[in-house]
């Protein structure tokens, strides 16, 4: 939103409130005078109906003959209300928790999801919250619902599952800008839960399992390749050293003997095996 346009909108709202407060006319002053005179006549009994207590977290908007008495709200503490001419509305300034019920949303990639969230907001301008909107809490609640649906409808399922914080910040910015003229300050927006159909959950689980199996096969193939390279290098080393081959043979026998099994091993010298091989070739 253009800052100049926003500033002009705020100033026009303030001028509108100021115009409402300008002069109550001769009849109005007569009624106010009579009301004040009634308070004096019935004093001190009337004091109990004229003095109101405003709590620390509340503010009071006083209307005198239907007009806002002051641009600034009254309170906290004691305020004076004239009978018959003044009425007041209390506004709670504490943070409000607005729970957005589950919304069925069609994402950008045509997947139906159900999303719910929470909006935390507070009233920072009591006059605007009373004068500019009928029910500020209901209006904020409905706007939060429609904003959640509109924003999530432009996101794919992958973006919705992975980008909770970014989406929540985007929704907060939109809500804060839209509710500024209502005197609302959106403090935080959270997306609680994203539910997808069971069929889609199974499909995503099968896809993830297939991806894991593919990665496992790649890792196993890389391990076999590395093992074959190591065996090749070991065979080259053993070929250059016959004594090393014999030591490896004895080590294998030690390993087999250490295991509790029924395998019977007959060790034969490697030289004898070589002699037998030469006789077979000579025959």
């Amino acid at each position: 939103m253009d800052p100049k346009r926003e500033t002009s909108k705020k100033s026009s709202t303030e001028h509108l409130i100021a115009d409402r407060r300008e002069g109550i006319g001769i009849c109005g002053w007569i009624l106010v005078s009579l009301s004040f005179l009634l308070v004096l006549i019935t004093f001190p009994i009337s004091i109990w109906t004229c003095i109101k207590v405003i709590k620390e977290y509340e503010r009071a908007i006083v209307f005198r003959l239907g007009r806002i008495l002051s641009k600034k709200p009254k309170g906290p503490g004691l305020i004076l209300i004239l009978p018959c001419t003044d009425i007041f509305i209390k506004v709670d300034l504490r943070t409000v928790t607005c729970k957005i019920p589950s919304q069925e949303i069609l994402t950008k990639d045509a997947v139906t999801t159900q999303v719910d969230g929470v909006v935390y907001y507070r009233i920072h301008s009591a006059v605007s919250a009373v004068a500019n909107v009928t029910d500020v809490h209901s209006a904020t609640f409905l706007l939060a619902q429609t904003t959640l649906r509109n924003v999530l409808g432009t996101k794919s399922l992958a973006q919705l599952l992975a980008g909770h914080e970014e989406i929540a910040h985007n929704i907060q910015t939109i809500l804060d800008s839209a509710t500024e003229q209502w005197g609302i300050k959106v403090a935080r927006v959270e997306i609680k839960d994203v539910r997808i159909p069971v069929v889609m959950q199974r499909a995503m689980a099968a896809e993830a399992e297939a991806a894991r199996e593919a990665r496992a096969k790649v890792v196993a193939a890389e391990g076999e390749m590395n093992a074959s390279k190591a065996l090749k290098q070991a065979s080259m080393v053993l070929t250059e050293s016959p004594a090393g081959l014999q030591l490896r043979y004895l080590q294998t026998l030690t390993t087999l003997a250490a295991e509790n099994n029924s395998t019977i091993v007959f060790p034969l010298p490697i030289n004898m095996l070589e002699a037998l091989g030469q006789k077979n070739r000579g025959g």
Side-chain angles (χ1 to χ4, degrees), residues 168-189:
H169 180 71
N170 190 13
I171 295 175
Q172 178 183 349
T173 303
I174 296 174
L175 284 177
D176 199 18
S177 176
T179 57
E180 176 67 25
Q181 60 181 346
W182 300 342
I184 295 293
K185 175 64 178 177
V186 179
R188 190 177 182 86
V189 176

PDB file of all heavy atoms in Angstrom, residues 168-189:
ATOM      1  N   ALA A 168       2.840 -17.857   7.087  1.00  0.00           N
ATOM      2  CA  ALA A 168       2.263 -17.181   8.250  1.00  0.00           C
ATOM      3  C   ALA A 168       2.650 -15.704   8.271  1.00  0.00           C
ATOM      4  O   ALA A 168       1.827 -14.838   8.583  1.00  0.00           O
ATOM      5  CB  ALA A 168       2.718 -17.870   9.533  1.00  0.00           C
ATOM      6  N   HIS A 169       3.899 -15.400   7.915  1.00  0.00           N
ATOM      7  CA  HIS A 169       4.329 -13.999   7.877  1.00  0.00           C
ATOM      8  C   HIS A 169       3.583 -13.230   6.789  1.00  0.00           C
ATOM      9  O   HIS A 169       3.207 -12.057   6.989  1.00  0.00           O
ATOM     10  CB  HIS A 169       5.837 -13.939   7.633  1.00  0.00           C
ATOM     11  CG  HIS A 169       6.379 -12.545   7.582  1.00  0.00           C
ATOM     12  ND1 HIS A 169       6.474 -11.738   8.702  1.00  0.00           N
ATOM     13  CD2 HIS A 169       6.844 -11.792   6.539  1.00  0.00           C
ATOM     14  CE1 HIS A 169       6.977 -10.562   8.353  1.00  0.00           C
ATOM     15  NE2 HIS A 169       7.205 -10.564   7.054  1.00  0.00           N
ATOM     16  N   ASN A 170       3.346 -13.870   5.648  1.00  0.00           N
ATOM     17  CA  ASN A 170       2.597 -13.222   4.568  1.00  0.00           C
ATOM     18  C   ASN A 170       1.165 -12.921   4.999  1.00  0.00           C
ATOM     19  O   ASN A 170       0.635 -11.820   4.752  1.00  0.00           O
ATOM     20  CB  ASN A 170       2.614 -14.126   3.330  1.00  0.00           C
ATOM     21  CG  ASN A 170       2.079 -13.432   2.103  1.00  0.00           C
ATOM     22  OD1 ASN A 170       1.906 -12.218   2.084  1.00  0.00           O
ATOM     23  ND2 ASN A 170       1.812 -14.191   1.063  1.00  0.00           N
ATOM     24  N   ILE A 171       0.524 -13.879   5.666  1.00  0.00           N
ATOM     25  CA  ILE A 171      -0.848 -13.675   6.153  1.00  0.00           C
ATOM     26  C   ILE A 171      -0.879 -12.557   7.190  1.00  0.00           C
ATOM     27  O   ILE A 171      -1.791 -11.713   7.197  1.00  0.00           O
ATOM     28  CB  ILE A 171      -1.404 -14.991   6.735  1.00  0.00           C
ATOM     29  CG1 ILE A 171      -1.541 -16.042   5.628  1.00  0.00           C
ATOM     30  CG2 ILE A 171      -2.753 -14.761   7.403  1.00  0.00           C
ATOM     31  CD1 ILE A 171      -1.957 -17.405   6.141  1.00  0.00           C
ATOM     32  N   GLN A 172       0.119 -12.529   8.078  1.00  0.00           N
ATOM     33  CA  GLN A 172       0.178 -11.476   9.092  1.00  0.00           C
ATOM     34  C   GLN A 172       0.297 -10.096   8.460  1.00  0.00           C
ATOM     35  O   GLN A 172      -0.370  -9.146   8.893  1.00  0.00           O
ATOM     36  CB  GLN A 172       1.364 -11.736  10.025  1.00  0.00           C
ATOM     37  CG  GLN A 172       1.535 -10.666  11.086  1.00  0.00           C
ATOM     38  CD  GLN A 172       2.752 -10.906  11.958  1.00  0.00           C
ATOM     39  OE1 GLN A 172       3.355 -11.967  11.907  1.00  0.00           O
ATOM     40  NE2 GLN A 172       3.125  -9.918  12.752  1.00  0.00           N
ATOM     41  N   THR A 173       1.120  -9.977   7.421  1.00  0.00           N
ATOM     42  CA  THR A 173       1.288  -8.677   6.759  1.00  0.00           C
ATOM     43  C   THR A 173      -0.025  -8.209   6.128  1.00  0.00           C
ATOM     44  O   THR A 173      -0.403  -7.036   6.239  1.00  0.00           O
ATOM     45  CB  THR A 173       2.385  -8.783   5.693  1.00  0.00           C
ATOM     46  OG1 THR A 173       3.602  -9.220   6.298  1.00  0.00           O
ATOM     47  CG2 THR A 173       2.620  -7.442   5.029  1.00  0.00           C
ATOM     48  N   ILE A 174      -0.719  -9.128   5.456  1.00  0.00           N
ATOM     49  CA  ILE A 174      -1.988  -8.775   4.810  1.00  0.00           C
ATOM     50  C   ILE A 174      -3.037  -8.369   5.848  1.00  0.00           C
ATOM     51  O   ILE A 174      -3.740  -7.355   5.694  1.00  0.00           O
ATOM     52  CB  ILE A 174      -2.485  -9.942   3.942  1.00  0.00           C
ATOM     53  CG1 ILE A 174      -1.497 -10.212   2.798  1.00  0.00           C
ATOM     54  CG2 ILE A 174      -3.874  -9.646   3.391  1.00  0.00           C
ATOM     55  CD1 ILE A 174      -1.833 -11.428   1.975  1.00  0.00           C
ATOM     56  N   LEU A 175      -3.150  -9.148   6.928  1.00  0.00           N
ATOM     57  CA  LEU A 175      -4.138  -8.833   7.964  1.00  0.00           C
ATOM     58  C   LEU A 175      -3.813  -7.509   8.657  1.00  0.00           C
ATOM     59  O   LEU A 175      -4.715  -6.703   8.932  1.00  0.00           O
ATOM     60  CB  LEU A 175      -4.178  -9.966   8.995  1.00  0.00           C
ATOM     61  CG  LEU A 175      -4.893 -11.247   8.598  1.00  0.00           C
ATOM     62  CD1 LEU A 175      -4.771 -12.288   9.698  1.00  0.00           C
ATOM     63  CD2 LEU A 175      -6.358 -10.984   8.293  1.00  0.00           C
ATOM     64  N   ASP A 176      -2.549  -7.291   8.937  1.00  0.00           N
ATOM     65  CA  ASP A 176      -2.163  -6.064   9.630  1.00  0.00           C
ATOM     66  C   ASP A 176      -2.482  -4.831   8.791  1.00  0.00           C
ATOM     67  O   ASP A 176      -2.940  -3.802   9.309  1.00  0.00           O
ATOM     68  CB  ASP A 176      -0.674  -6.119   9.950  1.00  0.00           C
ATOM     69  CG  ASP A 176      -0.292  -5.130  11.036  1.00  0.00           C
ATOM     70  OD1 ASP A 176      -1.196  -4.672  11.760  1.00  0.00           O
ATOM     71  OD2 ASP A 176       0.899  -4.815  11.165  1.00  0.00           O
ATOM     72  N   SER A 177      -2.265  -4.945   7.473  1.00  0.00           N
ATOM     73  CA  SER A 177      -2.566  -3.822   6.592  1.00  0.00           C
ATOM     74  C   SER A 177      -4.075  -3.593   6.461  1.00  0.00           C
ATOM     75  O   SER A 177      -4.535  -2.447   6.425  1.00  0.00           O
ATOM     76  CB  SER A 177      -1.943  -4.076   5.213  1.00  0.00           C
ATOM     77  OG  SER A 177      -2.286  -3.056   4.306  1.00  0.00           O
ATOM     78  N   ALA A 178      -4.850  -4.678   6.404  1.00  0.00           N
ATOM     79  CA  ALA A 178      -6.293  -4.544   6.205  1.00  0.00           C
ATOM     80  C   ALA A 178      -7.020  -4.066   7.454  1.00  0.00           C
ATOM     81  O   ALA A 178      -8.053  -3.399   7.350  1.00  0.00           O
ATOM     82  CB  ALA A 178      -6.874  -5.888   5.749  1.00  0.00           C
ATOM     83  N   THR A 179      -6.501  -4.400   8.636  1.00  0.00           N
ATOM     84  CA  THR A 179      -7.191  -4.041   9.879  1.00  0.00           C
ATOM     85  C   THR A 179      -6.628  -2.781  10.526  1.00  0.00           C
ATOM     86  O   THR A 179      -7.031  -2.443  11.644  1.00  0.00           O
ATOM     87  CB  THR A 179      -7.085  -5.196  10.890  1.00  0.00           C
ATOM     88  OG1 THR A 179      -5.689  -5.502  11.114  1.00  0.00           O
ATOM     89  CG2 THR A 179      -7.788  -6.440  10.364  1.00  0.00           C
ATOM     90  N   GLU A 180      -5.717  -2.092   9.864  1.00  0.00           N
ATOM     91  CA  GLU A 180      -5.144  -0.873  10.438  1.00  0.00           C
ATOM     92  C   GLU A 180      -6.211   0.186  10.686  1.00  0.00           C
ATOM     93  O   GLU A 180      -6.220   0.856  11.732  1.00  0.00           O
ATOM     94  CB  GLU A 180      -4.063  -0.333   9.498  1.00  0.00           C
ATOM     95  CG  GLU A 180      -3.449   0.979   9.937  1.00  0.00           C
ATOM     96  CD  GLU A 180      -2.637   0.843  11.211  1.00  0.00           C
ATOM     97  OE1 GLU A 180      -2.157  -0.278  11.486  1.00  0.00           O
ATOM     98  OE2 GLU A 180      -2.504   1.852  11.921  1.00  0.00           O
ATOM     99  N   GLN A 181      -7.149   0.340   9.757  1.00  0.00           N
ATOM    100  CA  GLN A 181      -8.196   1.359   9.920  1.00  0.00           C
ATOM    101  C   GLN A 181      -9.215   0.969  10.983  1.00  0.00           C
ATOM    102  O   GLN A 181     -10.026   1.809  11.392  1.00  0.00           O
ATOM    103  CB  GLN A 181      -8.895   1.582   8.587  1.00  0.00           C
ATOM    104  CG  GLN A 181      -9.552   0.338   8.021  1.00  0.00           C
ATOM    105  CD  GLN A 181     -10.205   0.596   6.677  1.00  0.00           C
ATOM    106  OE1 GLN A 181     -10.387   1.739   6.292  1.00  0.00           O
ATOM    107  NE2 GLN A 181     -10.541  -0.468   5.968  1.00  0.00           N
ATOM    108  N   TRP A 182      -9.190  -0.283  11.443  1.00  0.00           N
ATOM    109  CA  TRP A 182     -10.067  -0.709  12.533  1.00  0.00           C
ATOM    110  C   TRP A 182      -9.389  -0.576  13.895  1.00  0.00           C
ATOM    111  O   TRP A 182      -9.991  -0.934  14.912  1.00  0.00           O
ATOM    112  CB  TRP A 182     -10.502  -2.162  12.348  1.00  0.00           C
ATOM    113  CG  TRP A 182     -11.251  -2.407  11.093  1.00  0.00           C
ATOM    114  CD1 TRP A 182     -11.868  -1.480  10.303  1.00  0.00           C
ATOM    115  CD2 TRP A 182     -11.468  -3.670  10.451  1.00  0.00           C
ATOM    116  NE1 TRP A 182     -12.456  -2.078   9.220  1.00  0.00           N
ATOM    117  CE2 TRP A 182     -12.236  -3.428   9.283  1.00  0.00           C
ATOM    118  CE3 TRP A 182     -11.112  -4.980  10.745  1.00  0.00           C
ATOM    119  CZ2 TRP A 182     -12.625  -4.443   8.418  1.00  0.00           C
ATOM    120  CZ3 TRP A 182     -11.499  -6.000   9.897  1.00  0.00           C
ATOM    121  CH2 TRP A 182     -12.259  -5.729   8.740  1.00  0.00           C
ATOM    122  N   GLY A 183      -8.157  -0.099  13.923  1.00  0.00           N
ATOM    123  CA  GLY A 183      -7.432   0.026  15.177  1.00  0.00           C
ATOM    124  C   GLY A 183      -6.874  -1.278  15.687  1.00  0.00           C
ATOM    125  O   GLY A 183      -6.646  -1.436  16.890  1.00  0.00           O
ATOM    126  N   ILE A 184      -6.616  -2.230  14.769  1.00  0.00           N
ATOM    127  CA  ILE A 184      -6.141  -3.561  15.143  1.00  0.00           C
ATOM    128  C   ILE A 184      -4.662  -3.699  14.785  1.00  0.00           C
ATOM    129  O   ILE A 184      -4.231  -3.265  13.717  1.00  0.00           O
ATOM    130  CB  ILE A 184      -6.953  -4.656  14.436  1.00  0.00           C
ATOM    131  CG1 ILE A 184      -8.405  -4.636  14.920  1.00  0.00           C
ATOM    132  CG2 ILE A 184      -6.349  -6.038  14.679  1.00  0.00           C
ATOM    133  CD1 ILE A 184      -8.575  -5.026  16.360  1.00  0.00           C
ATOM    134  N   LYS A 185      -3.909  -4.308  15.670  1.00  0.00           N
ATOM    135  CA  LYS A 185      -2.513  -4.654  15.426  1.00  0.00           C
ATOM    136  C   LYS A 185      -2.360  -6.166  15.532  1.00  0.00           C
ATOM    137  O   LYS A 185      -2.550  -6.746  16.604  1.00  0.00           O
ATOM    138  CB  LYS A 185      -1.598  -3.954  16.437  1.00  0.00           C
ATOM    139  CG  LYS A 185      -0.142  -4.354  16.322  1.00  0.00           C
ATOM    140  CD  LYS A 185       0.440  -3.940  14.978  1.00  0.00           C
ATOM    141  CE  LYS A 185       1.914  -4.294  14.888  1.00  0.00           C
ATOM    142  NZ  LYS A 185       2.471  -3.962  13.556  1.00  0.00           N
ATOM    143  N   VAL A 186      -2.045  -6.806  14.397  1.00  0.00           N
ATOM    144  CA  VAL A 186      -1.867  -8.261  14.370  1.00  0.00           C
ATOM    145  C   VAL A 186      -0.463  -8.578  14.851  1.00  0.00           C
ATOM    146  O   VAL A 186       0.532  -8.172  14.240  1.00  0.00           O
ATOM    147  CB  VAL A 186      -2.101  -8.818  12.957  1.00  0.00           C
ATOM    148  CG1 VAL A 186      -1.897 -10.333  12.946  1.00  0.00           C
ATOM    149  CG2 VAL A 186      -3.508  -8.478  12.478  1.00  0.00           C
ATOM    150  N   ALA A 187      -0.376  -9.296  15.970  1.00  0.00           N
ATOM    151  CA  ALA A 187       0.926  -9.582  16.577  1.00  0.00           C
ATOM    152  C   ALA A 187       1.577 -10.825  15.987  1.00  0.00           C
ATOM    153  O   ALA A 187       2.796 -10.852  15.769  1.00  0.00           O
ATOM    154  CB  ALA A 187       0.770  -9.756  18.090  1.00  0.00           C
ATOM    155  N   ARG A 188       0.782 -11.855  15.700  1.00  0.00           N
ATOM    156  CA  ARG A 188       1.374 -13.116  15.234  1.00  0.00           C
ATOM    157  C   ARG A 188       0.304 -13.969  14.578  1.00  0.00           C
ATOM    158  O   ARG A 188      -0.863 -13.939  14.965  1.00  0.00           O
ATOM    159  CB  ARG A 188       2.004 -13.864  16.416  1.00  0.00           C
ATOM    160  CG  ARG A 188       2.850 -15.078  16.029  1.00  0.00           C
ATOM    161  CD  ARG A 188       3.487 -15.701  17.265  1.00  0.00           C
ATOM    162  NE  ARG A 188       4.339 -16.819  16.928  1.00  0.00           N
ATOM    163  CZ  ARG A 188       5.614 -16.716  16.580  1.00  0.00           C
ATOM    164  NH1 ARG A 188       6.173 -15.518  16.512  1.00  0.00           N
ATOM    165  NH2 ARG A 188       6.342 -17.784  16.299  1.00  0.00           N
ATOM    166  N   VAL A 189       0.729 -14.746  13.578  1.00  0.00           N
ATOM    167  CA  VAL A 189      -0.136 -15.720  12.904  1.00  0.00           C
ATOM    168  C   VAL A 189       0.595 -17.059  12.870  1.00  0.00           C
ATOM    169  O   VAL A 189       1.774 -17.114  12.512  1.00  0.00           O
ATOM    170  CB  VAL A 189      -0.495 -15.269  11.469  1.00  0.00           C
ATOM    171  CG1 VAL A 189      -1.314 -16.351  10.763  1.00  0.00           C
ATOM    172  CG2 VAL A 189      -1.263 -13.955  11.484  1.00  0.00           C
TER     173      VAL A 189
END
